[in-house]
Amino acid sequence: GNSESDGMRMLFAGIASVCAGSVTHPIEVVKTRMQIMGESGSRSTVNYGGTFPSTLKILFKNEGPTGLLKGIQATWLRESIYSTLRLGLYEPFKKLLGGHDRHHTAFYIKFVAGGMSGIVGSIIANPTDLLKIRMQAMEKDHHRILWHIKDVYHHGGLLGYYKGVQATVVRAMMLNGSKLSTYDHIKHTLINYHILKDGYLLHFVSSI
């Protein structure tokens, strides 16, 4: 049925996003270290040199391969929640807003549907986003995710998990709204004008 296809879409979206998150995770760790370097109040005591290659080299030298995987559990959690919801809820929200004809739905409906699914996903997944950044920023300590969960709760209670939620929600709303609506609109425009048939090439071109 329709709900079954929506469920399968959410499942595959989550699996794909967890795989993609695993591949890009080391880059995220390097990016986080570059961002916190020299910040007042930051625990960072290492000078990474300010470039991507130098940060990668120093991080690898100081912490080894495992340093590049810090926070990977939080990334898996985040992607399985956030990406599953932001991608899986897009079609249901689009239908809710009146976009029943997949080939001829107004762009603004797609944008709003993408924004709505981004908002829901980012609010629910914010704790995992916070944990991911905390773990990536830790230079010396190798605490597991459970330690971070307890530490956040100890210092901030339940609200501690929602630090920065406003910025996360706005970012997710704009990013998801623009990405999904543009992809969807290009895809169906190419189909409607018989430029490409539905298949891998169409999805690849639409994603670019």
Side-chain angles (χ1 to χ4, degrees), residues 23 52-53 65 73 78 89 98 101 110 119 124 150 163 191 196 201 208:
V23 173
F52 186 88
Q73 304 99 323
R78 179 187 182 273
L89 291 176
D101 182 354
K110 295 173 183 177
I119 288 169
I124 295 172
K150 291 174 185 175
K163 278 184 178 178
I191 292 172
L196 285 173
L201 180 60
I208 296 171

Side-chain angles (χ1 to χ4, degrees), residues 90-106 109-110 184:
Y90 173 67
E91 287 292 338
F93 274 139
K94 196 168 70 170
K95 289 169 191 166
L96 189 70
L97 293 165
H100 297 290
D101 182 354
R102 296 177 67 182
H103 297 285
H104 301 94
T105 301
I109 289 178
K110 295 173 183 177
D184 196 11

Side-chain angles (χ1 to χ4, degrees), residues 16-172:
S17 298
V18 167
C19 293
S22 301
V23 173
T24 58
H25 186 81
I27 300 167
E28 287 275 328
V29 176
V30 174
K31 184 192 79 169
T32 301
R33 296 298 176 87
M34 290 175 73
Q35 288 174 333
I36 65 169
M37 187 183 72
E39 288 287 317
S40 59
S42 167
R43 298 182 188 183
S44 178
T45 55
V46 180
N47 183 352
Y48 291 105
T51 67
F52 186 88
S54 65
T55 305
L56 178 63
K57 182 181 176 183
I58 293 165
L59 197 159
F60 194 84
K61 181 184 173 185
N62 291 351
E63 300 170 49
T66 55
L68 292 168
L69 295 176
K70 279 186 175 176
I72 190 79
Q73 304 99 323
T75 289
W76 291 336
L77 263 178
R78 179 187 182 273
E79 293 302 331
S80 63
I81 297 168
Y82 171 63
S83 291
T84 299
L85 291 173
R86 79 176 179 87
L87 297 170
L89 291 176
Y90 173 67
E91 287 292 338
F93 274 139
K94 196 168 70 170
K95 289 169 191 166
L96 189 70
L97 293 165
H100 297 290
D101 182 354
R102 296 177 67 182
H103 297 285
H104 301 94
T105 301
F107 182 80
Y108 78 90
I109 289 178
K110 295 173 183 177
F111 185 87
V112 174
M116 286 168 67
S117 57
I119 288 169
V120 173
S122 61
I123 289 173
I124 295 172
N126 197 80
T128 60
D129 204 35
L130 181 90
L131 292 167
K132 177 183 75 116
I133 294 165
R134 271 178 61 108
M135 294 175 77
Q136 288 174 341
M138 285 274 186
E139 290 171 335
K140 295 174 185 175
D141 302 314
H142 290 268
H143 295 301
R144 293 186 180 275
I145 192 167
L146 281 175
W147 182 90
H148 286 277
I149 292 170
K150 291 174 185 175
D151 192 55
V152 171
Y153 185 77
H154 177 71
H155 288 99
L158 287 174
L159 288 176
Y161 296 111
Y162 281 88
K163 278 184 178 178
V165 68
Q166 300 96 331
T168 304
V169 167
V170 171
R171 180 183 181 275

